Amino acid sequence: MTGTVLEEGLRGAGGYLLDGNRERFMHKYDAKLERATRDIVSRAMFSEMKAGHLTPNGGLYISMGHLGPENVRKQFKGMVERCADCGFDLAGGLVEVVPTAHYMMGGVEFDVDCTTALQGLFTAGEDSGGVHGANRLGGNGVANSTVFGGVAGEEMAAWVRREGGSQAAFRDADRAQIDAAIARCEQPLRAKGGAHGNLEPLRETLFDLMWEKVGIIRDAQGLKDALGVLSGFDSELDAYTLADHSRAFNLSWHDWMNLKSLVQVSRVIAEAALAREDSRGAHFRADFPKAGALETSTYTSVRQADAGGRLAIDMKPVAFTRVKPGQTLIRDAA
Ligand SMILES: Cc1cc2nc3c(=O)[nH]c(=O)nc-3n(C[C@H](O)[C@H](O)[C@H](O)COP(=O)(O)OP(=O)(O)OC[C@H]3O[C@@H](n4cnc5c(N)ncnc54)[C@H](O)[C@@H]3O)c2cc1C
């Protein structure tokens, strides 16, 4: 089943993951079995799939029936209904599943008051990076957006009150930047020649590339291959001419702009993954499987270095202001 997410609580409640032969496999990967953290479970699933232990549709199974179908129906009403909509019986049968990316842990660098390096630009929620470290725990996505959304709102209001009358706070828009952005967006309306066809195959190929080479298990060769292909996609998009040049409700134009952004974000992810020669949380390098020294942890900061789109990468030290590696805030555990 793809296109919807089955919640982690299913594994937490005791659900089993099974391979195509209907056998459990998590014992090969972690003593916590299906209750291991999501990065470990994803890698285990990916490895089983790579090894060819597949269900008819190329995935694996989750099975809840041993917990009692009535109980599952009661405890996971929404999930059972969602699966039924897709033709699967979660309460008593098997549901085909695959690991998926459903969260972006990177984002704009920001301070705890939601300010950024650009004066007047605030960020919060999934657009901001660093809140979860290398591995977001279940439930913390909405908490992040809610807490920092509130902080950003209050800070923005205070900033407007404070800076409202100051000319410095509200600079004139940079006309050259705006014109350059418009020119970039209008490119497929101007270009002559090139393809006029459907952008969907390119988007599908991009998804497959990111899944295969930049996804759950990465290595230097795969990442370099991916960067080469991404650069080709960019050129292909630059040479693309849309058949329909209208500016009103032109969905193909939207698709083109979205694809340009997706290729750009994909490049950032692949470059950052290539630069990071260790494995932390959701970032796993088969050629550098160890986490490395936690005390000297760094995070990866990527910025566009020039108008040509070259990326500059800095590894910046993590400031452990409250809890250092090896410490805990949980009283009992401490
Ligand atoms: C399938 C799925 C299941 C999840 N389950 C959980 C869970 O169980 N627990 C949990 O904690 N987290 C979960 N998450 C993560 C969590 O839902 C998200 O991280 C969170 O909702 C993000 O909130 P946000 O406000 O930061 O961003 P978003 O909810 O993405 O809001 C951004 C908004 O901006 C709008 N927008 C985008 N571009 C523009 C533009 N140019 N102009 C104007 N508006 C624009 C978008 O339409 C959108 O409404 C899940 C995510 C997914 C995808």
Side-chain angles (χ1 to χ4, degrees), residues 141-287:
V142 171
N144 170 24
S145 298
T146 310
V147 170
F148 283 100
V151 172
E154 285 175 4
E155 290 295 329
M156 280 189 281
W159 185 81
V160 169
R161 275 198 300 273
R162 205 169 53 240
E163 305 284 341
S166 119
Q167 283 300 314
F170 294 100
R171 296 179 303 171
D172 286 337
D174 182 339
R175 195 64 237 176
Q177 293 275 0
I178 294 172
D179 288 344
I182 292 173
R184 269 199 306 277
C185 291
E186 289 187 335
Q187 186 162 327
L189 306 179
R190 280 194 313 268
K192 299 268 183 300
H196 291 79
N198 184 1
L199 283 167
E200 194 53 23
L202 187 57
R203 200 172 69 96
E204 291 284 342
T205 315
L206 174 64
F207 284 2
D208 289 344
L209 177 78
M210 293 301 285
W211 173 252
E212 288 292 334
K213 308 266 186 195
V214 195
I216 294 173
I217 298 181
R218 303 154 163 181
D219 63 29
Q221 192 52 56
L223 292 166
K224 284 179 190 159
D225 291 349
L227 282 164
V229 180
L230 287 169
S231 158
F233 282 170
D234 220 21
S235 310
E236 207 173 313
L237 283 169
D238 285 346
Y240 199 89
T241 311
L242 286 167
D244 176 3
H245 283 198
S246 67
R247 281 145 202 271
F249 207 65
N250 185 341
L251 292 181
S252 301
W253 188 22
H254 294 184
D255 285 343
W256 183 91
M257 289 189 272
N258 281 339
L259 256 176
K260 279 291 276 185
S261 298
L262 285 173
V263 169
Q264 174 74 341
V265 172
S266 300
R267 278 185 59 216
V268 171
I269 295 171
E271 292 263 17
L274 186 60
R276 189 155 198 119
E277 296 188 332
D278 59 23
S279 290
R280 305 278 179 106
H283 166 70
F284 186 84
R285 288 279 300 260
D287 44 355

Side-chain angles (χ1 to χ4, degrees), residues 71 121 156:
N71 179 33
L121 179 72
M156 280 189 281

Side-chain angles (χ1 to χ4, degrees), residues 292-305:
L294 296 178
E295 299 74 23
T296 50
S297 291
T298 54
Y299 69 92
T300 316
S301 172
V302 188
R303 70 195 152 77
Q304 189 171 310

Side-chain angles (χ1 to χ4, degrees), residues 6 10 15-18 22 60-70 72-73 80 83-84 87-97:
L6 292 189
L10 297 173
Y16 291 159
L17 288 169
L18 310 178
R22 306 185 176 206
L60 300 163
Y61 294 115
I62 190 160
S63 159
M64 302 296 291
H66 57 282
L67 300 173
E70 256 333 292
V72 176
R73 251 177 235 116
V80 169
C83 289
F88 289 100
D89 174 15
L90 177 67
L94 298 176
V95 180
E96 289 185 84
V97 288

